[in-house]
Amino acid sequence: MTIELKGQHVLVVGAAGGIGEATVKAFAAVGAQVVATGRNTDKLISLAAVTGAETALVDFLDNDAVEAFFESTAPFDHVVIAAAATKSGAISTLAIEDAKASMESKFWGAYRIARAVRINTGGSLTFVSGFLSHRPSATSVLQGAINAALEALGRGLALERAPVRVNTVSPGMIDTPLWSGMSEADRQRLFEQAAAKLPAQRIGQPEDIAQAILFLATNPFATGATVMIDGGGTIA
Ligand SMILES: NC(=O)c1ccc[n+]([C@@H]2O[C@H](COP(=O)([O-])OP(=O)(O)OC[C@H]3O[C@@H](n4cnc5c(N)ncnc54)[C@H](OP(=O)(O)O)[C@@H]3O)[C@@H](O)[C@H]2O)c1
Protein backbone atom coordinates (compact mmCIF):
# COMPACT_ATOMS: atom_id res chain seq x y z
CA MET A 1 0.00 0.00 0.00
CA THR A 2 1.25 3.49 -0.76
CA ILE A 3 -0.35 6.75 0.24
CA GLU A 4 -1.93 8.63 -2.67
CA LEU A 5 -0.54 12.16 -3.00
CA LYS A 6 -3.03 13.50 -5.53
CA GLY A 7 -4.94 16.37 -3.94
CA GLN A 8 -2.94 16.17 -0.70
CA HIS A 9 -2.08 19.44 1.05
CA VAL A 10 1.72 19.62 1.13
CA LEU A 11 4.00 22.24 2.69
CA VAL A 12 7.62 22.67 1.60
CA VAL A 13 9.69 24.99 3.82
CA GLY A 14 12.78 26.32 2.04
CA ALA A 15 11.18 25.94 -1.38
CA ALA A 16 13.55 28.42 -3.03
CA GLY A 17 16.55 26.19 -2.36
CA GLY A 18 17.83 23.40 -4.57
CA ILE A 19 16.33 20.47 -2.64
CA GLY A 20 13.21 22.46 -1.72
CA GLU A 21 12.51 23.38 -5.33
CA ALA A 22 12.97 19.80 -6.55
CA THR A 23 10.63 18.64 -3.78
CA VAL A 24 7.92 21.13 -4.76
CA LYS A 25 8.19 19.97 -8.39
CA ALA A 26 8.05 16.29 -7.42
CA PHE A 27 4.92 16.68 -5.27
CA ALA A 28 3.24 18.94 -7.86
CA ALA A 29 3.99 16.40 -10.61
CA VAL A 30 1.87 13.78 -8.83
CA GLY A 31 -1.04 16.14 -8.28
CA ALA A 32 -0.45 17.38 -4.73
CA GLN A 33 -1.59 20.87 -3.74
CA VAL A 34 1.70 22.38 -2.69
CA VAL A 35 2.36 25.44 -0.57
CA ALA A 36 5.93 26.60 -1.18
CA THR A 37 7.45 28.83 1.49
CA GLY A 38 10.73 30.67 1.73
CA ARG A 39 12.09 34.18 1.92
CA ASN A 40 13.02 34.79 -1.72
CA THR A 41 9.99 36.33 -3.47
CA ASP A 42 11.35 36.17 -7.04
CA LYS A 43 12.31 32.51 -6.75
CA LEU A 44 8.95 31.56 -5.24
CA ILE A 45 7.05 33.41 -7.99
CA SER A 46 8.93 31.61 -10.75
CA LEU A 47 8.49 28.27 -8.98
CA ALA A 48 4.74 28.92 -8.69
CA ALA A 49 4.59 29.70 -12.42
CA VAL A 50 6.14 26.33 -13.28
CA THR A 51 4.37 24.14 -10.72
CA GLY A 52 1.09 25.86 -9.83
CA ALA A 53 2.15 25.84 -6.17
CA GLU A 54 0.78 28.43 -3.78
CA THR A 55 3.51 30.50 -2.21
CA ALA A 56 4.03 32.25 1.13
CA LEU A 57 6.90 34.30 2.47
CA VAL A 58 7.84 32.77 5.82
CA ASP A 59 11.17 33.33 7.55
CA PHE A 60 11.53 30.26 9.74
CA LEU A 61 13.77 32.20 12.16
CA ASP A 62 10.78 34.37 13.09
CA ASN A 63 8.65 32.49 15.62
CA ASP A 64 5.74 34.98 15.47
CA ALA A 65 5.66 34.74 11.65
CA VAL A 66 5.76 30.94 11.80
CA GLU A 67 2.92 30.75 14.33
CA ALA A 68 0.83 33.31 12.40
CA PHE A 69 1.34 31.34 9.18
CA PHE A 70 0.07 28.09 10.70
CA GLU A 71 -2.86 29.82 12.41
CA SER A 72 -3.98 31.12 9.01
CA THR A 73 -3.62 27.85 7.06
CA ALA A 74 -5.53 24.57 7.14
CA PRO A 75 -3.68 21.53 8.52
CA PHE A 76 -1.29 19.87 6.08
CA ASP A 77 -1.02 16.24 5.02
CA HIS A 78 2.71 16.24 4.37
CA VAL A 79 5.37 18.71 5.48
CA VAL A 80 9.00 18.91 4.35
CA ILE A 81 11.61 21.17 5.94
CA ALA A 82 14.52 21.83 3.57
CA ALA A 83 15.51 25.34 4.69
CA ALA A 84 18.86 26.08 6.29
CA ALA A 85 21.65 28.61 6.24
CA THR A 86 24.78 27.40 8.01
CA LYS A 87 28.44 28.34 8.07
CA SER A 88 31.14 25.72 8.04
CA GLY A 89 34.71 25.83 9.23
CA ALA A 90 36.89 24.37 11.95
CA ILE A 91 35.41 24.82 15.42
CA SER A 92 38.62 26.52 16.54
CA THR A 93 38.29 29.26 13.91
CA LEU A 94 34.52 29.61 13.41
CA ALA A 95 33.19 32.54 15.45
CA ILE A 96 30.86 31.36 18.21
CA GLU A 97 28.15 33.76 16.93
CA ASP A 98 28.31 32.11 13.47
CA ALA A 99 28.16 28.66 15.04
CA LYS A 100 25.11 29.62 17.12
CA ALA A 101 23.43 31.23 14.10
CA SER A 102 23.90 27.99 12.14
CA MET A 103 22.22 25.96 14.89
CA GLU A 104 19.53 28.64 15.19
CA SER A 105 18.80 28.21 11.49
CA LYS A 106 18.96 24.54 10.66
CA PHE A 107 18.00 23.00 14.01
CA TRP A 108 15.83 25.62 15.73
CA GLY A 109 14.21 26.67 12.44
CA ALA A 110 13.08 23.08 11.86
CA TYR A 111 12.08 22.74 15.53
CA ARG A 112 9.97 25.91 15.31
CA ILE A 113 8.10 24.60 12.26
CA ALA A 114 7.66 21.15 13.80
CA ARG A 115 6.30 22.72 17.01
CA ALA A 116 3.71 24.91 15.31
CA VAL A 117 2.58 22.86 12.31
CA ARG A 118 -0.70 20.95 12.34
CA ILE A 119 -0.56 17.69 10.37
CA ASN A 120 -3.54 15.48 9.56
CA THR A 121 -3.70 11.89 10.78
CA GLY A 122 -2.09 9.71 8.12
CA GLY A 123 0.28 12.53 7.23
CA SER A 124 4.01 12.97 7.57
CA LEU A 125 6.80 15.36 8.48
CA THR A 126 10.21 15.03 6.84
CA PHE A 127 13.43 16.76 7.89
CA VAL A 128 16.54 17.11 5.72
CA SER A 129 19.80 16.56 7.65
CA GLY A 130 23.08 15.54 5.98
CA PHE A 131 25.56 12.64 5.96
CA LEU A 132 28.13 14.51 8.10
CA SER A 133 26.23 13.29 11.18
CA HIS A 134 27.51 9.79 10.42
CA ARG A 135 30.69 10.64 8.53
CA PRO A 136 32.26 13.68 10.22
CA SER A 137 34.54 16.07 8.39
CA ALA A 138 37.36 17.83 10.24
CA THR A 139 36.34 21.10 8.58
CA SER A 140 32.59 20.79 9.17
CA VAL A 141 32.27 19.34 12.66
CA LEU A 142 29.41 21.66 13.58
CA GLN A 143 27.36 20.59 10.52
CA GLY A 144 27.61 16.98 11.65
CA ALA A 145 26.44 17.90 15.15
CA ILE A 146 23.48 19.92 13.84
CA ASN A 147 22.47 17.07 11.52
CA ALA A 148 22.71 14.54 14.36
CA ALA A 149 20.49 16.76 16.52
CA LEU A 150 17.94 17.03 13.72
CA GLU A 151 17.90 13.26 13.18
CA ALA A 152 17.38 12.71 16.92
CA LEU A 153 14.57 15.29 16.87
CA GLY A 154 12.93 13.34 14.04
CA ARG A 155 13.12 10.03 15.90
CA GLY A 156 11.69 11.54 19.08
CA LEU A 157 8.91 13.39 17.29
CA ALA A 158 7.92 10.16 15.55
CA LEU A 159 6.85 9.02 19.04
CA GLU A 160 5.39 12.32 20.25
CA ARG A 161 3.40 13.02 17.07
CA ALA A 162 2.30 9.44 16.29
CA PRO A 163 0.32 8.43 14.26
CA VAL A 164 1.77 11.27 12.17
CA ARG A 165 4.97 9.81 10.73
CA VAL A 166 8.23 11.72 11.16
CA ASN A 167 11.37 10.89 9.17
CA THR A 168 14.65 12.40 8.02
CA VAL A 169 16.44 12.26 4.68
CA SER A 170 20.20 12.60 4.99
CA PRO A 171 21.81 13.79 1.74
CA GLY A 172 25.42 13.51 0.68
CA MET A 173 26.95 16.16 -1.57
CA ILE A 174 24.20 17.55 -3.81
CA ASP A 175 24.55 20.02 -6.67
CA THR A 176 22.45 22.94 -5.39
CA PRO A 177 22.81 26.70 -4.85
CA LEU A 178 24.24 25.85 -1.42
CA TRP A 179 27.59 25.67 -3.24
CA SER A 180 27.11 28.90 -5.20
CA GLY A 181 29.54 30.83 -2.99
CA MET A 182 32.39 29.06 -4.81
CA SER A 183 33.60 29.93 -8.28
CA GLU A 184 32.29 27.68 -11.07
CA ALA A 185 35.78 26.22 -11.60
CA ASP A 186 36.33 25.47 -7.89
CA ARG A 187 32.88 23.91 -7.61
CA GLN A 188 33.45 21.67 -10.63
CA ARG A 189 36.80 20.56 -9.21
CA LEU A 190 35.24 19.83 -5.80
CA PHE A 191 32.37 17.86 -7.36
CA GLU A 192 34.69 15.84 -9.61
CA GLN A 193 37.03 14.97 -6.74
CA ALA A 194 34.14 14.04 -4.46
CA ALA A 195 32.40 11.96 -7.16
CA ALA A 196 35.58 10.00 -7.81
CA LYS A 197 35.65 8.86 -4.14
CA LEU A 198 31.99 7.83 -4.01
CA PRO A 199 30.73 4.31 -4.75
CA ALA A 200 27.97 5.96 -6.84
CA GLN A 201 30.69 7.76 -8.86
CA ARG A 202 28.63 10.91 -9.09
CA ILE A 203 27.46 13.89 -7.09
CA GLY A 204 23.80 13.88 -6.12
CA GLN A 205 21.11 15.92 -7.82
CA PRO A 206 18.30 17.59 -5.86
CA GLU A 207 15.82 15.24 -7.58
CA ASP A 208 17.59 12.26 -5.91
CA ILE A 209 16.64 13.72 -2.53
CA ALA A 210 13.12 14.75 -3.58
CA GLN A 211 12.48 11.14 -4.66
CA ALA A 212 13.44 9.88 -1.19
CA ILE A 213 11.22 12.52 0.44
CA LEU A 214 8.24 11.33 -1.64
CA PHE A 215 9.05 7.73 -0.71
CA LEU A 216 8.89 8.59 3.00
CA ALA A 217 5.68 10.58 2.57
CA THR A 218 3.97 7.70 0.78
CA ASN A 219 5.19 4.65 2.73
CA PRO A 220 2.74 4.14 5.63
CA PHE A 221 5.25 1.97 7.57
CA ALA A 222 8.12 4.50 7.46
CA THR A 223 8.49 6.49 10.67
CA GLY A 224 11.39 7.39 12.95
CA ALA A 225 13.74 6.63 10.05
CA THR A 226 16.82 8.39 8.75
CA VAL A 227 17.32 7.51 5.09
CA MET A 228 20.82 8.10 3.75
CA ILE A 229 20.91 9.24 0.11
CA ASP A 230 24.60 9.98 -0.12
CA GLY A 231 26.03 8.06 -3.06
CA GLY A 232 27.69 5.76 -0.51
CA GLY A 233 29.51 8.68 1.14
CA THR A 234 29.00 7.26 4.62
CA ILE A 235 30.63 3.94 3.79
CA ALA A 236 33.35 5.18 1.40
N1 LIG B 1 23.54 20.55 -1.06
C1 LIG B 1 24.25 19.70 -0.32
O1 LIG B 1 25.34 19.27 -0.70
C2 LIG B 1 23.70 19.23 1.00
C3 LIG B 1 24.35 18.17 1.65
C4 LIG B 1 23.87 17.72 2.87
C5 LIG B 1 22.78 18.32 3.47
N2 LIG B 1 22.17 19.36 2.81
C6 LIG B 1 21.04 19.99 3.49
O2 LIG B 1 19.89 19.99 2.67
C7 LIG B 1 19.06 21.10 3.02
C8 LIG B 1 18.71 21.87 1.75
O3 LIG B 1 19.94 22.28 1.18
P1 LIG B 1 20.08 22.83 -0.32
O4 LIG B 1 21.27 22.18 -0.86
O5 LIG B 1 18.81 22.75 -1.03
O6 LIG B 1 20.49 24.32 0.05
P2 LIG B 1 20.09 25.71 -0.65
O7 LIG B 1 19.95 25.54 -2.10
O8 LIG B 1 21.06 26.69 -0.10
O9 LIG B 1 18.64 26.00 -0.04
C9 LIG B 1 18.43 26.34 1.29
C10 LIG B 1 17.19 27.20 1.32
O10 LIG B 1 16.88 27.50 2.70
C11 LIG B 1 16.37 28.81 2.70
N3 LIG B 1 16.46 29.44 4.01
C12 LIG B 1 17.56 29.71 4.72
N4 LIG B 1 17.23 30.35 5.84
C13 LIG B 1 15.89 30.52 5.80
C14 LIG B 1 14.96 31.14 6.66
N5 LIG B 1 15.36 31.76 7.77
N6 LIG B 1 13.66 31.11 6.34
C15 LIG B 1 13.25 30.52 5.20
N7 LIG B 1 14.08 29.93 4.32
C16 LIG B 1 15.38 29.94 4.63
C17 LIG B 1 17.28 29.55 1.75
O11 LIG B 1 16.67 30.76 1.38
P3 LIG B 1 17.54 32.01 0.91
O12 LIG B 1 17.84 31.72 -0.53
O13 LIG B 1 16.64 33.15 1.12
O14 LIG B 1 18.77 32.03 1.79
C18 LIG B 1 17.39 28.55 0.62
O15 LIG B 1 16.35 28.74 -0.33
C19 LIG B 1 19.86 21.94 4.02
O16 LIG B 1 19.48 21.59 5.32
C20 LIG B 1 21.28 21.47 3.78
O17 LIG B 1 22.11 21.62 4.92
C21 LIG B 1 22.59 19.82 1.60
Side-chain angles (χ1 to χ4, degrees), residues 17-19 21-22 171-180 184 187-188 190-191 202-209:
I19 291 171
E21 177 181 354
M173 188 177 274
I174 311 294
D175 184 0
T176 72
L178 183 141
W179 300 99
S180 60
E184 174 70 26
R187 190 164 62 243
Q188 280 316 318
L190 173 73
F191 284 175
R202 77 199 254 293
I203 290 301
Q205 294 301 314
E207 294 74 21
D208 300 328
I209 305 307

Side-chain angles (χ1 to χ4, degrees), residues 49-73:
V50 177
T51 61
E54 274 179 50
T55 62
L57 278 178
V58 183
D59 181 342
F60 82 162
L61 296 179
D62 181 342
N63 198 51
D64 291 344
V66 167
E67 289 188 351
F69 172 74
F70 288 119
E71 276 160 21
S72 66
T73 49

Side-chain angles (χ1 to χ4, degrees), residues 14-168:
I19 291 171
E21 177 181 354
T23 303
V24 171
K25 288 180 175 169
F27 274 110
V30 294
Q33 293 179 345
V34 186
V35 179
T37 71
R39 53 181 187 178
N40 181 328
T41 315
D42 292 345
K43 197 79 195 284
L44 291 178
I45 288 171
S46 49
L47 185 57
V50 177
T51 61
E54 274 179 50
T55 62
L57 278 178
V58 183
D59 181 342
F60 82 162
L61 296 179
D62 181 342
N63 198 51
D64 291 344
V66 167
E67 289 188 351
F69 172 74
F70 288 119
E71 276 160 21
S72 66
T73 49
F76 290 92
D77 296 305
H78 301 285
V79 175
V80 180
I81 305 172
T86 61
K87 291 217 163 112
S88 40
I91 283 188
S92 53
T93 55
L94 190 66
I96 196 81
E97 292 75 21
D98 288 340
K100 282 184 168 179
S102 298
M103 189 77 177
E104 180 64 24
S105 172
K106 187 162 179 173
F107 177 78
W108 288 107
Y111 184 104
R112 231 173 252 122
I113 299 285
R115 181 172 179 272
V117 68
R118 291 173 296 146
I119 302 178
N120 292 321
T121 300
S124 72
L125 169 62
T126 305
F127 294 123
V128 179
S129 61
F131 84 128
L132 293 173
S133 57
H134 289 272
R135 181 72 192 267
S137 151
T139 54
S140 303
V141 174
L142 175 66
Q143 256 72 23
I146 295 172
N147 290 335
L150 204 49
E151 290 164 11
L153 180 69
R155 283 191 294 275
L157 277 176
L159 298 175
E160 184 183 314
R161 297 296 288 266
V164 168
R165 295 174 299 103
V166 184
N167 295 292
T168 305

